[in-house]
């Protein structure tokens, strides 16, 4: 069976208020974090890989996708990515998850099926910003945006209940890739 085709998107539209500067521009081994995340998705097989930013942000590169809904948090970026997805699935990676490697998505895509994505669940809940969504989830995202319901935990919970997303449960010891960079510490 040939590997499933999927697109990718780096969400880089946050305000970085706790960090005090744009997280997307932080360097890891001399490489800006946003570029590293694009590379991770590309190495996992995602084609194309989009960069999603909020309206008004200085573009990180040519051809960025902009959130269509202002002030809706990460759900707006997720919605923009899925709306622009060119295949049945889109791998979403937050710009502030520097410990995720291409193997994360290479393993996750193998557990997807037509119309069904995958998300990890830890002791803290779902990890919606290192997940693979089916493009069929777009209607649920639009409904929640229109209602002003921006919780990604609630969105993913609804997608799991409707069997649009499968869940991989992670033990506490397997959660290191999901540590995000929110503060200078």
């Amino acid at each position: 069976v040939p590997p499933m085709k999927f697109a990718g998107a780096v969400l880089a539209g946050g305000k970085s208020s706790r960090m005090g500067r744009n997280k997307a521009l932080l360097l890891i081994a001399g490489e800006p974090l946003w570029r590293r995340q694009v590379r991770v998705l590309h190495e996992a097989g995602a084609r194309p890989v989009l960069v999603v930013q909020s309206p008004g942000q200085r573009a990180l590169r040519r051809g960025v996708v902009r959130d269509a809904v202002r002030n809706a948090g990460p759900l707006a970026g997720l919605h923009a990515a899925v709306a622009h997805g060119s295949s049945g699935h889109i791998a979403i990676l937050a710009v502030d998850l520097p410990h995720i490697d291409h193997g994360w998505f290479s393993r996750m895509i193998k557990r997807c099926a037509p119309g069904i994505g995958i998300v990890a669940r830890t002791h803290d809940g779902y990890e919606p910003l290192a997940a693979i969504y089916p493009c069929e989830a777009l209607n649920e995202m639009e409904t929640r945006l229109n209602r002003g319901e921006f919780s990604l935990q609630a969105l993913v919970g609804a997608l799991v209940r409707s069997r649009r997303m499968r869940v991989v449960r992670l033990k506490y010891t397997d959660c290191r890739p999901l540590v995000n960079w929110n503060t200078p510490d």
Side-chain angles (χ1 to χ4, degrees), residues 3-169:
M4 189 175 294
K5 292 182 179 182
F6 65 105
V10 174
L11 300 191
K15 295 177 181 163
S16 301
S17 51
R18 287 178 284 171
M19 182 61 72
R21 58 186 226 186
N22 188 345
K23 290 187 271 189
L25 300 176
L26 294 175
L27 298 179
I28 238 181
E31 182 179 35
L33 200 46
W34 74 268
R35 191 169 286 144
R36 178 201 181 274
Q37 304 303 65
V38 167
R39 180 175 48 76
V40 163
L41 289 169
H42 197 262
E43 288 173 357
R47 304 285 189 281
V49 176
L50 311 170
V51 174
V52 182
Q53 293 184 266
S54 297
Q57 279 186 312
R58 185 168 165 238
L60 293 169
R61 72 175 191 186
R62 250 190 255 164
V64 298
V65 172
R66 300 290 181 173
D67 298 354
V69 179
R70 288 183 180 272
N71 302 316
L75 179 56
L78 178 57
H79 169 264
V82 173
H84 282 82
S86 61
S87 67
H89 291 83
I90 187 158
I92 300 296
L93 180 54
V95 78
D96 64 356
L97 293 173
H99 303 292
I100 292 209
D101 64 11
H102 70 276
W104 174 272
F105 290 103
S106 297
R107 289 185 298 277
M108 296 281 268
I109 194 65
K110 291 176 184 171
R111 305 205 42 195
C112 294
I116 303 170
I118 190 152
V119 64
R121 183 173 180 118
T122 69
H123 61 284
D124 290 331
Y126 299 112
E127 182 41 76
L129 300 180
I132 300 175
Y133 292 83
C135 288
E136 290 83 352
L138 184 62
N139 288 340
E140 183 69 28
M141 293 172 192
E142 287 176 349
T143 298
R144 289 175 179 276
L145 282 170
N146 290 334
R147 285 191 208 144
E149 298 172 4
F150 304 145
S151 166
L152 293 183
Q153 293 297 311
L155 166 71
V156 172
L159 293 172
V160 168
R161 286 188 300 280
S162 68
R163 293 186 162 78
R164 288 275 174 220
M165 297 283 279
R166 292 178 176 156
V167 178
V168 173
R169 297 195 182 276

